[in-house]
Each structure stands twice: as structure tokens, then as C-alpha cells.
Amino acid sequence: MDLAQTVDYAYAAVAEAPVRAIWTAGACPLDANGETVAIGDFAGQARQVMINLAAALESAGASLNDIVKTTVYVASSRQQDLVEAWNVVREHMGDHDAPSTLLGVAALGYHDQLVEVEATAVIIEEHESG
């Protein structure tokens, strides 16, 4: 079966073994003090989420370019709000096209939180020849 080529996401990703895999918790729109930023602003929260996701990956020795799958949660039932957050996620991912799931949810864990992104990253391990 042929898949539509008009979608703004990858359908699948493949990682060859051996690899080092990293699973992140959902990155939230929190500042360094643990306060929710950009209250009421889907794009503003998505920007902070992606900054925090990049920092979490960096602490594990990875980057946004190592992501093989994301799940984007948006606390809204309006497709327009989901797309607003998604556009910011795509902007931060640049040319790196990882499969993703975009979901509208009833609520997220922090007060005034509208966006959360969790990711799986994979780093290909180099074999030493000997």
C-alpha cells in the first residue's frame, strides 16, 4: 500500500544495532525555577518545551537530531491549537524528520501547562575493529 507523501512527518524510523537508546520524560514548559512559562500561549510553551527537551537530551549525550520518535501532547480539543504547537516542534527539529504522534488531551500535569513532548533518541554505537 502506498502512503500519502503530503504529510508533514515521517512514517517510520530505523536504527541499526548496536545502539544506545535514550527515553525522555515529557519535556514541560517550565523555566529554571520550575514555573510554567507563556501561560495561555501554545507556541510559547512549545518553544520552552523544545529548549528543555534539547537540554535533557544533551545531558544524556544526545541531541534533537538523534530523536527517532516523539509524542506531542497539547491540552486542547481544537486542531488549530495542536497545529500551533506542532509547527514550533517542527521548527526546532529542522531538517531532521522523526516520526511523531500529535495528541489533544484533556489536561497535563502542571498548573497552566498546555504542551508536553516526550522523545526517544538513538545513538549508533561505533564498533572498534580489532
Side-chain angles (χ1 to χ4, degrees):
M1 177 189 333
D2 291 331
L3 296 171
Q5 298 304 304
T6 57
V7 298
D8 188 25
Y9 54 86
Y11 285 107
V14 175
E16 301 294 331
V19 299
R20 185 165 63 90
I22 301 154
W23 289 267
T24 69
C28 299
L30 304 178
D31 64 16
N33 296 319
E35 300 293 324
T36 303
V37 303
I39 294 172
D41 179 359
F42 290 93
Q45 287 199 6
R47 276 189 286 282
Q48 185 67 46
V49 162
M50 293 307 290
I51 290 167
N52 291 348
L53 179 59
L57 287 168
E58 183 178 343
S59 73
S63 74
L64 295 176
N65 287 330
D66 297 312
I67 290 175
V68 295
K69 170 74 171 80
T70 63
T71 304
V72 180
Y73 301 93
V74 181
S76 177
S77 62
R78 294 177 9 144
Q79 186 178 28
Q80 174 183 340
D81 298 334
L82 276 68
V83 170
E84 186 175 344
W86 173 252
N87 287 339
V88 173
V89 171
R90 290 293 304 146
E91 176 184 315
H92 280 261
M93 295 294 287
D95 291 336
H96 181 60
D97 194 17
S100 187
T101 300
L102 175 63
L103 300 168
V105 298
L108 291 166
Y110 288 101
H111 188 65
D112 295 318
Q113 182 181 358
L114 299 173
V115 180
E116 185 166 326
V117 177
E118 65 182 16
T120 303
V122 171
I123 299 172
I124 307 298
E125 298 281 323
E126 297 295 325
H127 272 330
E128 292 184 29
S129 57

